[in-house]
């Protein structure tokens, strides 16, 4: 039992070193320019050790994304459906809290041209939670539930991505209030208030 714990700690430590090396390199260059040798050198391991844990760079990216989604899941658990609709800020606040742990890295990860994977994983997590919360409070057809979920969550994630990748001159609270108005009042209600 002791030996397993020791090996597990070594595995965790090595994988963390690889992920941190990748994050550091991603801040310096495009993902397509990062090599396994670069990561190995930065993590102070050899290429063989890298391949003991990962088949390639995108496996590292996938595991980092899964780690992020687990962290977001932990943060948003406990936000009630009613609360999140009344104030999308609660969800945005939790996403921002996670992203603020390493803003530069998340900026590079979310900004990767070929990487829609992280955004999809976050959206899928929020959609499943949203559906679960709706079904606790309301009887609704599957078609309507799916349409509502896709419309609201995809829109929220897209708006949040745009805000995150902007100069962030508008406070997230303002963006959240506008999203709440749009979600509750629809386009007509949104336009009436804007006029």
């Amino acid at each position: 039992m002791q030996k397993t714990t020791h090996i597990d700690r070594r595995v965790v430590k090595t994988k963390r070193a690889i992920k941190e090396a990748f994050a550091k390199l991603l801040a310096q260059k495009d993902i397509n320019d990062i090599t396994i040798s670069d990561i190995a050198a930065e993590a102070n391991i050899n290429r063989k050790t890298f391949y003991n844990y990962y088949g390639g760079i995108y496996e590292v990216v996938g595991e980092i994304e899964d780690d992020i989604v687990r962290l977001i899941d932990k943060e948003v658990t406990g936000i009630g459906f009613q609360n999140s609709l009344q104030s999308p800020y609660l969800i945005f606040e939790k996403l921002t809290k996670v992203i603020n742990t390493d803003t530069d890295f998340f900026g590079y990860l979310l900004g990767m041209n070929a990487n829609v994977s992280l955004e999809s994983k976050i959206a899928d997590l929020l959609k499943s939670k949203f559906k679960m919360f709706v079904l606790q409070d309301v009887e609704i057809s599957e078609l309507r539930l799916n349409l509502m979920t896709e419309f609201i969550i995809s829109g929220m994630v897209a708006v949040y991505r745009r805000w995150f990748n902007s100069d962030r001159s508008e406070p997230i609270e303002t963006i959240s209030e506008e999203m709440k108005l749009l979600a509750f009042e629809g386009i007509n209600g949104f336009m009436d208030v804007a006029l």
Side-chain angles (χ1 to χ4, degrees), residues 21-31 33-34 42 108:
F22 172 75
K24 186 173 182 182
L25 290 165
L26 191 59
Q28 299 167 6
K29 51 171 105 173
D30 187 86
I31 188 170
D33 297 327
I34 298 172
E42 188 66 42
Y108 293 118

Side-chain angles (χ1 to χ4, degrees), residues 90-101:
L90 295 172
I91 293 174
F92 292 156
E93 181 183 44
K94 299 295 185 181
L95 289 172
T96 304
K97 179 181 175 185
V98 170
I99 287 172
N100 280 343
T101 60

Side-chain angles (χ1 to χ4, degrees), residues 38-95:
D38 292 338
I39 294 172
E42 188 66 42
N44 201 23
I45 59 171
N46 61 44
R47 286 171 47 93
K48 184 177 185 291
T49 301
F50 177 92
Y51 284 114
N52 285 339
Y53 300 105
Y54 300 103
I57 290 174
Y58 282 95
E59 280 188 30
V60 176
V61 173
E63 193 168 293
I64 290 170
E65 290 172 349
D66 292 343
D67 292 345
I68 292 166
V69 169
R70 274 192 295 279
L71 189 55
I72 291 171
D73 186 19
K74 183 178 172 191
E75 287 293 327
V76 299
T77 296
I79 295 177
F81 164 69
Q82 224 31 51
N83 290 337
S84 61
L85 275 185
Q86 291 294 330
S87 178
Y89 174 68
L90 295 172
I91 293 174
F92 292 156
E93 181 183 44
K94 299 295 185 181
L95 289 172

Side-chain angles (χ1 to χ4, degrees), residues 26 99 102-113 115 118 164-165 168:
L26 191 59
I99 287 172
D102 192 342
T103 309
D104 290 338
F105 174 65
F106 281 103
Y108 293 118
L109 196 60
L110 289 167
M112 286 171 23
N113 290 336
N115 186 21
L118 177 59
F164 180 76
N165 289 325
R168 300 184 206 163

Side-chain angles (χ1 to χ4, degrees), residues 131 135 140-151:
K131 284 181 178 182
L135 291 173
I140 187 170
S141 74
E142 187 174 344
L143 173 64
R144 283 191 168 191
L145 177 62
N146 289 335
L147 289 172
M148 181 175 67
T149 301
E150 191 66 38
F151 183 79

